[in-house]
Amino acid sequence: MKDLGEVSTILGMQITRNRDNIKIDQSKYINDVLYRFEMNECNPISTPIDTNQKLSVSMCPKNENERREMSKVPYMQAIGSLLYAAQVSRPDITYAVNILSRFSTNPGRAHWEAVKRVMRYLKGTATVGLEYKFDVEISIVRYCDADWAGNTDDRQSTTGYIFIYQSAAISWLTKKQKTVALSSTEAEFMSLTAAMQESV
């Protein structure tokens, strides 16, 4: 083994450290992804997903011509690339990537446009990352939430939680709930349960 000194780059992450904080970002990885999918010249956008648009199975290809057209689109590769960023240092795109990954086996044109929207968001926020500060109170802050019956296809809700330590995220999740909640209270309870399991 060799001591290569203080870490600066590892597994697509840039790590910057000084007296006040440690910052982890994936700016180089994100720029490589944008270039790979020919989105490096796109116009940035301020949000990763359009909350007014409900993506559903009804937007999937309905005939052979549409399926043939979408087979040329690198949808699964794009989702895989975005998923890595979401898991490492970008909790802000986790919800959008989770929603879009549900259509990986049969994506439609609207789903692909939504993937490109995430990339447009990353274009404007490529240098955003996790910044852990040394001069803050050492405690873990937890948040959780659920969208009741947010999936228009099966009426299942989505659980989301994030844990903050020294002013940056250390654990986060967005996941479709396994059962259909009969009320918003039940959906929130399932989200709280998932967050408490992670706490333990």
Side-chain angles (χ1 to χ4, degrees), residues 90-195:
R90 297 302 299 262
D92 53 335
I93 66 168
T94 304
Y95 176 76
V97 175
N98 177 270
I99 296 294
L100 293 166
S101 66
R102 298 173 190 176
F103 307 101
S104 293
T105 55
N106 189 28
R109 180 57 57 183
H111 304 130
W112 178 238
E113 291 302 320
V115 167
K116 291 199 288 187
R117 182 189 176 100
V118 176
M119 291 189 187
R120 289 176 62 195
Y121 172 73
L122 289 176
K123 170 75 174 177
T125 61
T127 58
V128 170
L130 302 173
E131 189 174 340
Y132 300 96
K133 297 180 180 177
F134 299 140
D135 60 348
V136 297
E137 182 182 349
I138 300 178
S139 63
I140 297 177
V141 181
R142 306 160 184 90
Y143 300 97
C144 67
D145 198 6
D147 69 336
W148 180 45
N151 190 316
T152 56
D153 297 314
D154 56 19
R155 308 308 293 170
Q156 286 178 273
S157 308
T158 300
T159 285
Y161 65 69
I162 188 166
F163 289 33
I164 308 292
Y165 180 70
Q166 289 188 257
S167 77
I170 57 170
S171 178
W172 57 89
L173 173 88
T174 300
K175 185 177 182 181
K176 190 162 77 166
Q177 294 178 356
K178 293 181 179 179
T179 58
V180 177
L182 302 179
S183 67
S184 58
T185 302
E186 187 177 347
E188 296 287 353
F189 180 75
M190 285 194 270
S191 177
L192 179 61
T193 300

Side-chain angles (χ1 to χ4, degrees), residues 49-63:
I49 196 167
D50 183 358
T51 55
N52 295 318
Q53 181 188 34
K54 290 287 186 181
L55 298 171
S56 69
V57 174
S58 66
M59 298 171 178
C60 293
K62 297 176 178 63
N63 56 55

